[in-house]
Amino acid sequence: MKATCDCSTISCDQKGTDTAERSLELLEFPRIVRMISDFAYSGEGVRLMEGQPFLSDKERVADFITAVAEAKTRFESGDEIPPLTFPELGDITARLPKEGIVLEGKELADIALFIESASRLKRFLERDTNLCTIREIAAPMPDLMPLTKKIRTFFDDEGEVREDSVPELKSIRRKLNQLNVEIERLTADYLRNQPNLFQTDVPTQKDGRILLPMKANYKGKIQGIVHDVSGRGATLYIEPLDLMEK
């Protein structure tokens, strides 16, 4: 008898859920949500908006209406909305709890940009002291600007290390540029001075190494390491020793 009651309850609950979903469809609630999502400043904002459930609790609905009304008042105040950019941080924040995680420069720059935008938005919303609900929503946001300043000290907007923050970096980059120029010169000399040894006059790269497309029948003519062979075995991709030493 209990099993029958449980099944009946489940059946009723399912029917209620189906009826509610059907009602929302008739009211075009999903379309309204999509329209509002177009105003989001980030992909995460879009997903958050699209995942919002339909509120039926009277108190929660009243609080939400109050917050929306306050936000509307704030945005229509004539006070200029600050520039806001919210990069996607979903993958980054998912990895942060892992011990020993290392972030790339661009990821750190995106975090700094996100914090800066969030802080500007918070200050904008809190500027009107009469908007109590909005201020309560924004209040829990911690002040992370010291973290942003530290990131900005070492990385630019693209995540590149600032030369002025690491004095040795400028010298290292200059040496690397000189080295790349020398490698390009040596590569061009091989292809220009011994064109009969190669399939084409265009070098290739593999794992960051410059390789020359040498004809297989000339194997041994140039000292070096063969890193790859073409499918038919007609071309050897060789790295000359003098390039390896650079």
Side-chain angles (χ1 to χ4, degrees):
M1 186 66 178
K2 183 179 179 181
T4 303
C5 291
D6 287 344
C7 291
S8 176
T9 301
I10 293 173
S11 177
C12 289
D13 288 344
Q14 183 61 49
K15 287 180 180 178
T17 300
D18 292 343
T19 300
E21 291 180 354
R22 177 59 179 161
S23 297
L24 292 179
E25 287 290 344
L26 291 174
L27 291 171
E28 297 190 322
F29 181 72
R31 187 174 73 87
I32 294 172
V33 170
R34 288 192 297 271
M35 290 172 60
I36 298 174
S37 299
D38 289 339
F39 293 94
Y41 278 90
S42 69
E44 289 166 327
V46 171
R47 290 190 292 275
L48 181 63
M49 184 62 217
E50 292 180 344
Q52 288 292 312
F54 183 83
L55 299 182
S56 56
D57 181 80
K58 290 184 178 180
E59 290 186 5
R60 291 186 63 192
V61 171
D63 291 341
F64 190 81
I65 291 175
T66 300
V68 170
E70 289 184 4
K72 182 175 181 291
T73 299
R74 188 71 193 92
F75 283 107
E76 292 178 346
S77 65
D79 196 0
E80 186 176 354
I81 300 174
L84 303 171
T85 302
F86 294 100
E88 291 277 358
L89 298 184
D91 178 61
I92 299 174
T93 53
R95 287 156 46 210
L96 282 178
K98 298 179 182 178
E99 186 176 353
I101 182 68
V102 176
L103 298 180
E104 299 291 334
K106 186 63 172 69
E107 293 175 323
L108 290 169
D110 285 346
I111 289 174
L113 180 58
F114 193 102
I115 293 173
E116 289 167 345
S117 292
S119 297
R120 283 195 295 269
L121 180 59
K122 179 181 180 181
R123 290 195 298 271
F124 173 79
L125 293 174
E126 290 184 332
R127 203 169 295 163
D128 188 338
T129 57
N130 294 319
L131 307 183
C132 300
T133 304
I134 289 295
R135 292 176 66 84
E136 288 180 6
I137 293 174
M141 177 183 165
D143 180 13
L144 299 177
M145 288 307 293
L147 172 61
T148 293
K149 291 177 180 177
K150 185 170 291 188
I151 293 174
R152 292 299 190 194
T153 299
F154 294 98
F155 298 95
D156 61 20
D157 291 342
E158 300 303 319
E160 297 293 331
V161 178
R162 294 184 183 276
E163 291 184 354
D164 54 353
S165 65
V166 185
E168 301 85 357
L169 183 61
K170 188 173 183 179
S171 174
I172 293 172
R173 283 176 171 169
R174 183 173 62 251
K175 290 178 180 179
L176 285 175
N177 288 334
Q178 293 172 346
L179 183 60
N180 288 332
V181 170
E182 180 64 11
I183 290 175
E184 290 177 2
R185 185 189 66 77
L186 289 173
T187 301
D189 286 346
Y190 271 111
L191 297 172
R192 181 175 60 252
N193 297 334
Q194 304 179 74
N196 58 305
L197 300 184
F198 305 103
Q199 296 286 11
T200 71
D201 60 355
V202 179
T204 187
Q205 283 196 18
K206 182 178 177 64
D207 298 328
R209 297 180 179 276
I210 301 294
L211 307 180
L212 304 179
M214 189 171 68
K215 296 175 182 177
N217 55 310
Y218 286 110
K219 182 179 181 180
K221 291 289 184 179
I222 296 177
Q223 286 188 316
I225 295 180
V226 175
H227 288 273
D228 202 358
V229 181
S230 65
R232 297 183 179 181
T235 305
L236 307 177
Y237 295 96
I238 184 172
E239 182 182 17
L241 287 180
D242 52 353
L243 292 185
M244 295 174 59
E245 294 170 356
K246 294 297 180 180

